[in-house]
Amino acid sequence: MPSSDTHTDTSAAEPVGLGDLARGVVKMAPHALNMIKHAPGLIHRPPQAKRTIGSIFQKHAAAHPDRPFIRFEGRSMTYGEVNRRVNRYASLLTDNGVGTGDVVAILSKNNPTDLMLILATVKLGAVAGMLNYNQRDKVMAHSVSLLEAKVLVHDPDCAEAFGSIPADVQPPHVFDFAEFDAASADRSEDNPAVTEELPASTKAFYIFTSGTTGMPKASVMSHKRWLANLSGIGGLAVRLRHSDTMYVPLPLYHNNALSVALGSVLASGACIAIGRSFSASKFWDDVILNRATAFCYIGELCRYLLAQPEKPTDRRHAVKVIIGNGMRPEIWDEFAERFGIDRIVEFYGASELNVAFVNAFSVKRTAGFCPLPYKIVEYDDHGEPRRDANGRLTKVGKGGTGLLIAEISERVPLDGYTDSEATEKKIIRDAFKPGDAYFNSGDLVRDQGYAHIAFVDRLGDTFRWKGENVATTQVEGALDSFGAIAQSVVYGVEVPGTDGRAGMAAVKLREGADLDQGELAAHLYSHLPSYAVPLFIRVVDDFEQTSTFKNRKVELRDEGYSDTGDDPLHVLAGRDKGYVEFYADYPDDVANAKAPKG
């Protein structure tokens, strides 16, 4: 079997020096006036200030009603046109009992209606509950019930996901897109009066994130935190002009699209081009069709684009700047050179995290810079911060690798999750002195100096694959409900040439049972989002009996798929073929997007 490195290679992520910062300042010079305008928004964002997503959007609509705002499949809608539609939507939501603090559940694939529903919701001071259309059954029911929404609006393209929501957890008012459009057709097109009165502290979105509990948690995004993306990432780092178009192929239920990309667009009154879904083979065609000059990414997307055969459209587009996270250091230069990208604005953040890093200085191979207080500390085998004999944490030295934690204070508050108990579990108290508090990111990073970091890995019981956080306990629950399996342990393993960690499970079979590889795959696909279905299944005789299996999980993760001894090893060929016996080229097939299929 091929060997697999169990640690992310960060050798290409070099230390950041003064020369790098100086070169970055030179690149900033043409954008200096616009950056100065946004700088105060990063330093001082009082929660009581009457500035929100809705007020910013409608000011652009009033000032430049004929400027394109949404482009979809080559067709444009102006700021004025979108604002009128959004106001009609807001009027209908109001008549269905939606007011400040209420929740509107939105289940949709990427399209203009999705974004307009989001804007209508936040204009009212309500919260857009962004449901993940990959969820099904108990997981989807849990997410919907967690929102306690007044209204649910669903996309007909999400029929399977909507069909798995039990009637008893659905909100009082449910519309599909056609019903909602018809009911709002004759509504008022005036801006809601409440929009200009809302404080920045108002909640804007609930973004679902996988946690270690096995069920999704809803992280809170306030307008205040969203405005930090507009100023810090959009205004100071991405630096779009109003004539630019940002192409968004990532789902709008993710903060990468909803906060980072949309924030970058509204920072300058630019245009957002919504991609229906990501296709590596048609990506540049859609970028060209939508006249995009920028796009947002995750690392997987960039790797898939590089894996495509070279073709003329690689350079026929107008894209000069891209914003995202997960760009592997070793492909950074190759990607920029092949596709003619001038600036790669890598950033690091999370839905629930109270700080973010962004590559504002255009330094190569870095997750960026953060002016807010954070620490990188030593950690144990379970991904928890290690305390010394005095009960305090220990910072790693410059150039070192450790667990990223972010200070919680009045200046940098924590929005957290809707579940206060879940939020408290992520807070580290008395870290360096009595009374202090830090948020545990759960991520391993490298200190590059000058407040820059390189992302290394995801720790604990959650790993990241296909741009999604996968909760190991959720996958274990699906495996353990399969008749032939007595017990399972799930963990993430690295596959060379890929981003994040692929799912791997060690399973113990019930006495006398055989593993039907096709039935197992069908079972897992029916219980899990496709990105959470494990790529590797290792059949073991037994597990070491500990209370949590964490020690054994560390050993299994270190062994990966290359050191499984005589244990049978199965790999996921795809939705139709199910699991097959491991073959030597499988990791390469995964890296080149040839497996799994479907």
Side-chain angles (χ1 to χ4, degrees):
M1 291 184 186
S3 64
S4 72
D5 182 12
T6 57
H7 298 285
T8 300
D9 177 17
T10 57
S11 59
E14 301 168 354
V16 173
L18 283 172
D20 297 311
L21 303 185
R23 285 187 290 274
V25 170
V26 171
K27 279 200 168 188
M28 291 176 180
H31 308 270
L33 288 176
N34 202 39
M35 292 177 69
I36 290 169
K37 181 181 80 173
H38 286 287
L42 186 64
I43 299 165
H44 183 60
R45 298 186 313 279
Q48 69 277 12
K50 292 178 180 179
R51 188 166 186 251
T52 62
I53 302 164
S55 67
I56 290 168
F57 165 69
Q58 67 187 31
K59 279 173 184 168
H60 283 306
H64 307 284
D66 297 326
R67 186 183 289 172
F69 173 55
I70 296 176
R71 196 167 288 133
F72 183 64
E73 297 178 341
R75 296 184 297 276
S76 298
M77 299 175 69
T78 66
Y79 270 87
E81 181 183 359
V82 172
N83 191 48
R84 290 190 292 273
R85 177 89 66 90
V86 165
N87 290 342
R88 294 200 298 269
Y89 284 2
S91 176
L92 178 58
L93 290 174
T94 300
D95 282 358
N96 280 272
V98 175
T100 303
D102 292 324
V103 179
V104 176
I106 301 172
L107 175 62
S108 176
K109 294 193 174 179
N110 276 16
N111 55 61
T113 302
D114 186 13
L115 180 55
M116 289 187 286
L117 279 166
I118 292 164
L119 290 171
T121 300
V122 299
K123 270 198 171 197
L124 296 173
V127 187
M130 303 305 299
L131 293 167
N132 181 336
Y133 52 73
N134 292 294
Q135 294 178 356
R136 297 291 186 276
D137 303 323
K138 290 181 180 178
V139 178
M140 178 59 84
H142 167 82
S143 296
V144 174
S145 61
L146 200 64
L147 292 177
E148 298 181 344
K150 288 273 186 79
V151 174
L152 166 64
V153 189
H154 60 99
D155 179 355
D157 286 345
C158 298
E160 186 180 339
F162 176 71
S164 71
I165 304 173
D168 62 344
V169 301
Q170 292 182 18
H173 306 285
V174 177
F175 298 87
D176 64 22
F177 278 5
E179 291 167 340
F180 199 84
D181 272 327
S184 63
D186 297 323
R187 300 276 167 170
S188 170
E189 295 184 345
D190 294 336
N191 291 324
V194 70
T195 306
E196 295 290 355
E197 300 302 317
L198 295 169
S201 58
T202 306
K203 293 177 184 177
F205 312 125
Y206 287 149
I207 306 289
F208 282 95
T209 176
S210 297
T212 57
T213 61
M215 283 295 182
K217 296 190 292 259
S219 66
V220 181
M221 173 63 74
S222 65
H223 289 264
K224 182 176 183 291
R225 251 184 83 212
W226 187 92
L227 290 167
N229 285 300
L230 178 141
S231 298
I233 296 180
L236 298 181
V238 181
R239 308 192 286 267
L240 297 182
R241 294 182 170 89
H242 68 76
S243 55
D244 284 317
T245 296
M246 169 74 74
Y247 180 68
V248 180
L250 306 176
L252 285 167
Y253 64 70
H254 264 187
N255 259 329
N256 198 315
L258 191 56
S259 294
V260 175
L262 181 62
S264 297
V265 166
L266 290 181
S268 59
C271 179
I272 183 169
I274 301 172
R276 187 181 293 275
S277 61
F278 172 70
S279 165
S281 61
K282 299 175 183 176
F283 180 85
W284 293 113
D285 295 322
D286 207 31
V287 164
I288 293 165
L289 173 66
N290 287 291
R291 307 192 291 283
T293 56
F295 68 78
C296 65
Y297 68 85
I298 56 172
E300 283 279 318
L301 182 153
C302 298
R303 186 174 59 78
Y304 286 154
L305 292 178
L306 277 176
Q308 288 289 302
E310 292 191 18
K311 47 191 174 183
T313 50
D314 287 354
R315 284 278 190 144
R316 280 186 183 159
H317 57 84
V319 172
K320 293 301 178 188
V321 59
I322 61 176
I323 171 72
N325 57 357
M327 176 75 77
R328 293 174 69 89
E330 59 268 29
I331 71 167
W332 190 293
D333 290 340
E334 180 186 0
F335 191 90
E337 176 59 32
R338 174 173 166 180
F339 299 114
I341 307 300
D342 181 51
R343 287 192 298 120
I344 297 175
V345 185
E346 176 81 359
F347 77 92
Y348 165 85
S351 299
E352 63 273 37
L353 194 61
N354 58 332
V355 300
F357 292 74
V358 64
N359 189 18
F361 292 95
S362 305
V363 180
K364 291 183 178 182
R365 297 177 290 281
T366 179
F369 160 86
C370 179
L372 300 172
Y374 69 90
K375 298 286 191 298
I376 302 172
V377 299
E378 294 181 0
Y379 64 99
D380 61 24
D381 286 342
H382 308 313
E384 297 297 325
R386 178 182 288 127
R387 293 187 184 264
D388 62 20
N390 297 316
R392 304 300 184 212
L393 307 189
T394 302
K395 292 186 289 184
V396 303
K398 184 177 179 180
T401 296
L403 177 67
L404 175 70
I405 62 175
E407 187 175 354
I408 303 168
S409 65
E410 282 189 22
R411 181 188 171 205
V412 192
L414 179 68
D415 287 341
Y417 305 106
T418 54
D419 182 345
S420 58
E421 188 175 329
T423 301
E424 185 60 33
K425 285 180 180 178
K426 297 283 284 185
I427 296 176
I428 305 164
R429 300 195 182 277
D430 305 321
F432 300 98
K433 60 184 180 182
D436 66 7
Y438 286 79
F439 187 82
N440 183 353
S441 74
D443 287 335
L444 192 63
V445 302
R446 180 182 172 201
D447 181 2
Q448 293 180 287
Y450 291 98
H452 283 70
I453 64 166
F455 177 79
V456 177
D457 204 357
R458 180 87 185 153
L459 296 173
D461 289 333
T462 306
F463 59 90
R464 196 162 180 82
W465 183 244
K466 302 291 185 184
E468 304 276 0
N469 287 339
V470 180
T472 58
T473 46
Q474 181 182 338
V475 183
E476 287 164 358
L479 284 162
D480 293 348
S481 66
F482 186 67
I485 294 177
Q487 186 182 341
S488 65
V489 172
V490 173
Y491 41 96
V493 294
E494 288 195 348
V495 178
T498 69
D499 303 291
R501 288 180 177 267
M504 182 167 180
V507 302
K508 176 185 175 182
L509 301 182
R510 296 188 186 277
E511 190 172 346
D514 293 319
L515 189 66
D516 186 310
Q517 299 174 51
E519 286 187 9
L520 175 60
H523 173 82
L524 292 176
Y525 272 112
S526 69
H527 285 74
L528 296 168
S530 58
Y531 57 77
V533 177
L535 269 60
F536 302 90
I537 301 288
R538 174 182 179 179
V539 181
V540 300
D541 291 331
D542 210 345
F543 293 108
E544 292 180 11
Q545 293 300 311
T546 66
S547 60
T548 63
F549 302 103
K550 282 192 175 179
N551 291 333
R552 183 59 180 148
K553 184 178 287 192
V554 171
E555 293 168 15
L556 289 165
R557 186 175 63 226
D558 289 346
E559 291 166 358
Y561 55 83
S562 62
D563 188 18
T564 56
D566 296 328
D567 293 342
L569 183 63
H570 310 282
V571 293
L572 184 65
R575 192 180 291 270
D576 294 330
K577 293 184 178 180
Y579 286 97
V580 299
E581 301 303 314
F582 179 91
Y583 56 93
D585 289 336
Y586 183 74
D588 288 338
D589 286 349
V590 172
N592 293 317
K594 295 179 180 177
K597 290 288 187 183

